[in-house]
Amino acid sequence: MNPVIGLDVAKGESQVQAFLDKKQPYKKSFKIAHTLEGLSILLDFIKEVEDVSGGRPPIVLESTGHYHTPIMQYFEDRGYLLIIVNPLISYRAKSSSLRKVKTDIVDAHHLCELYYKEDLEPYRQRLIQLLNLRNLTRQHENITGMFVQTKLQFQAVLDQVFPQYCGVFGSLYSDVSLLTLQAFPTSEEILKESKETIANKIKELCKSRSKQWANNQAEKLMAAAVQNPFQKTLYHSLSLSLGMYINMLLEYKKHLSKLENELNALAKSIEEYRIIQSIHGIGEKIAATIISEIGEIDRFNHPKKLVAFAGLDPSVFESGTFKGTLNRITKRGSSRLRHALYMAVKCAIRDCRKQKTTDEILPRNKRLREFYDKKREEGKPYKVAVIACANKLLHWIYALLKSKSAFQDLA
């Protein structure tokens, strides 16, 4: 017999269906909760299937973000083979049926049938380091997005309270700038204080700078307050919002700084990270994102599979004598990996000075720039050429990670 367990995973629970062999369902489908008690019930059921069939069944389930992680951890520790199915593959298999039925019971049944129809690859456990790195890079990306949105909202309120403040400090979003604005949010509060009081407050907020610098900033702040068209804030809600956004920006900066320190410390301990960073034009954050999204390179036995995982493979449409000529990339893989490669290419083909003491201009990555120029000379549009470079870059990354060697650019 060739038994299998199909799990249709949802938030906090899963639908279970067992097959002893092809077209031989075992008992009725049932649900279990993602708790120790529920997983223990599932384990007892799987052992029952083992006794009846005489073999240990693999567990087939869809990739569902993070909902399937408790099941993975529980059964990996007990030595069970897990098969994580791409939702596109399972959806395609379910669509082959003429009946239009969508229930958890049917989905679990289809996963078992898919096991016998398709040549599914077993899940290979990623290194704990890579999983931690992936979580850190994704969390950094999420908080950065919220930080940018808060900046926009803060700027909109500042334009209605103190628009002249933007030119006082070199960086509007530096700690000293935000804290100074928090202490003196309106022109009215600034002008009722003396220059010395404001300078002392700025010096207190930025102890690393000189007293003269603090005096100069105090002069700029008072001059901006005089020029401010909103001498009095009519709407108390705007002042309240301004203080709230300042607190949010300061907290986001703390969280991002902590994440970056953790991310850099973890990434430097991973060999693959150092290999990726040896490619000229790839910085620390992009290298960490690329290696964390790829995971273990042994999961891919051909570079084209890695390209498909990134969604950079071209879609092909042919029927009879017709052959489609407008073939876009599939975008069916990891969007984070695809975006990181796109940014890496843009950085790599950019021109920069060879040395600060000379005016000689060279691309950051000569080999990739030559490939980009070649595509542009062939008449390819900018984005098409960049995507072609991303495809090429991913082939290089595959070769480097397989051979565990550093990148050699042409000087």
Side-chain angles (χ1 to χ4, degrees):
M1 291 185 177
N2 185 15
V4 66
I5 304 292
L7 296 182
D8 181 61
V9 182
K11 184 178 181 180
E13 62 180 17
S14 291
Q15 188 77 32
V16 183
Q17 176 66 61
F19 271 51
L20 296 178
D21 212 330
K22 189 174 182 181
K23 297 183 180 181
Q24 293 184 27
Y26 180 70
K27 291 189 174 181
K28 288 185 178 181
S29 179
F30 63 94
K31 277 190 177 180
I32 55 102
H34 293 174
T35 60
L36 282 177
E37 182 182 357
L39 293 174
S40 178
I41 292 172
L42 177 57
L43 180 61
D44 291 340
F45 177 71
I46 293 175
K47 288 181 178 178
E48 180 184 335
V49 174
E50 288 182 40
D51 294 338
V52 173
S53 64
R56 172 168 281 200
I59 302 171
V60 182
L61 60 158
E62 281 186 349
S63 176
T64 55
H66 59 275
Y67 294 144
H68 64 279
T69 52
I71 297 172
M72 287 170 50
Q73 184 174 346
Y74 186 85
F75 286 101
E76 273 182 346
D77 293 341
R78 287 156 179 79
Y80 281 89
L81 178 66
L82 293 169
I83 299 176
I84 312 297
V85 179
N86 189 312
L88 286 171
I89 295 175
S90 59
Y91 177 78
R92 183 190 66 194
K94 286 180 281 189
S95 300
S96 62
S97 174
L98 291 176
R99 294 189 65 200
K100 189 175 182 180
V101 181
K102 172 68 176 74
T103 65
D104 293 343
I105 297 175
V106 171
D107 289 347
H109 195 278
H110 275 303
L111 286 171
C112 291
E113 291 181 334
L114 185 64
Y115 170 74
Y116 297 109
K117 291 179 182 178
E118 300 278 349
D119 183 18
L120 301 175
E121 294 184 1
Y123 170 78
R124 296 181 183 179
Q125 184 181 16
R126 295 186 184 184
L127 295 172
I128 298 299
Q129 284 181 314
L130 292 176
L131 278 173
N132 281 329
L133 187 63
R134 186 187 68 178
N135 292 335
L136 286 173
T137 53
R138 291 186 176 185
Q139 188 65 19
H140 187 278
E141 180 186 341
N142 292 336
I143 293 183
T144 300
M146 292 186 286
F147 184 47
V148 170
Q149 288 299 316
T150 306
K151 277 184 176 182
L152 295 174
Q153 294 164 345
F154 164 78
Q155 184 70 62
V157 174
L158 186 63
D159 287 343
Q160 301 173 70
V161 176
F162 199 168
Q164 301 300 318
Y165 183 80
C166 295
V168 175
F169 291 90
S171 173
L172 175 61
Y173 300 102
S174 64
D175 287 351
V176 63
S177 172
L178 293 173
L179 291 170
T180 301
L181 185 60
Q182 190 177 49
F184 308 104
T186 64
S187 295
E188 188 177 7
E189 293 186 41
I190 294 169
L191 295 176
K192 73 181 182 182
E193 300 287 350
S194 66
K195 174 187 170 184
E196 184 179 358
T197 302
I198 296 174
N200 289 336
K201 183 64 176 178
I202 294 174
K203 182 68 177 72
E204 180 186 338
L205 296 173
C206 189
K207 296 179 180 179
S208 61
R209 303 300 292 265
S210 66
K211 179 66 176 178
Q212 182 61 42
W213 176 83
N215 288 330
N216 292 337
Q217 297 306 119
E219 288 180 5
K220 289 182 181 179
L221 184 58
M222 298 188 77
V226 172
Q227 296 296 324
N228 185 19
F230 304 104
Q231 290 295 313
K232 290 186 178 181
T233 304
L234 297 178
Y235 304 104
H236 175 68
S237 59
L238 292 177
S239 298
L240 189 66
S241 297
L242 188 67
M244 179 187 68
Y245 286 133
I246 290 173
N247 288 330
M248 290 173 66
L249 290 171
L250 290 170
E251 286 301 314
Y252 280 141
K253 290 185 70 175
K254 288 180 185 177
H255 291 318
L256 287 173
S257 177
K258 184 177 180 180
L259 280 173
E260 287 168 4
N261 291 336
E262 291 284 342
L263 198 152
N264 291 335
L266 178 60
K268 289 176 182 177
S269 65
I270 299 174
E271 181 185 6
E272 292 90 341
Y273 170 78
R274 296 192 294 272
I275 293 173
I276 297 293
Q277 213 177 358
S278 69
I279 302 175
H280 301 303
I282 297 183
E284 294 179 353
K285 290 181 183 177
I286 292 179
T289 302
I290 290 174
I291 193 59
S292 66
E293 291 298 325
I294 290 175
E296 291 183 336
I297 196 62
D298 292 337
R299 297 190 302 144
F300 308 97
N301 57 19
H302 196 278
K304 286 186 177 180
K305 290 190 176 182
L306 180 57
V307 171
F309 176 74
L312 291 173
D313 53 322
S315 57
V316 179
F317 186 79
E318 296 181 1
S319 180
T321 58
F322 173 80
K323 291 185 178 182
T325 56
L326 187 62
N327 297 326
R328 295 182 172 88
I329 58 174
T330 61
K331 293 187 179 181
R332 284 190 167 186
S334 170
S335 59
R336 289 181 174 88
L337 176 58
R338 191 164 56 250
H339 181 260
L341 291 167
Y342 183 81
M343 296 304 296
V345 169
K346 290 184 70 175
C347 293
I349 63 177
R350 187 180 302 161
D351 290 332
C352 65
R353 286 186 179 180
K354 186 176 182 181
Q355 293 180 354
K356 291 183 178 180
T357 55
T358 66
D359 293 330
E360 186 179 1
I361 303 296
L362 288 174
R364 296 178 187 271
N365 191 312
K366 188 175 180 181
R367 290 174 64 181
L368 200 61
R369 178 57 182 268
E370 287 176 351
F371 184 76
Y372 168 79
D373 290 338
K374 176 186 174 183
K375 291 297 176 183
R376 292 290 279 165
E377 289 169 3
E378 292 174 358
K380 303 293 185 186
Y382 170 75
K383 284 190 176 181
V384 174
V386 170
I387 292 300
C389 289
N391 196 313
K392 172 71 74 174
L393 179 61
L394 203 51
H395 277 76
W396 290 349
I397 289 172
Y398 179 86
L400 294 176
L401 293 178
K402 281 290 187 179
S403 63
K404 295 185 178 181
S405 57
F407 181 80
Q408 297 294 325
D409 196 8
L410 299 178

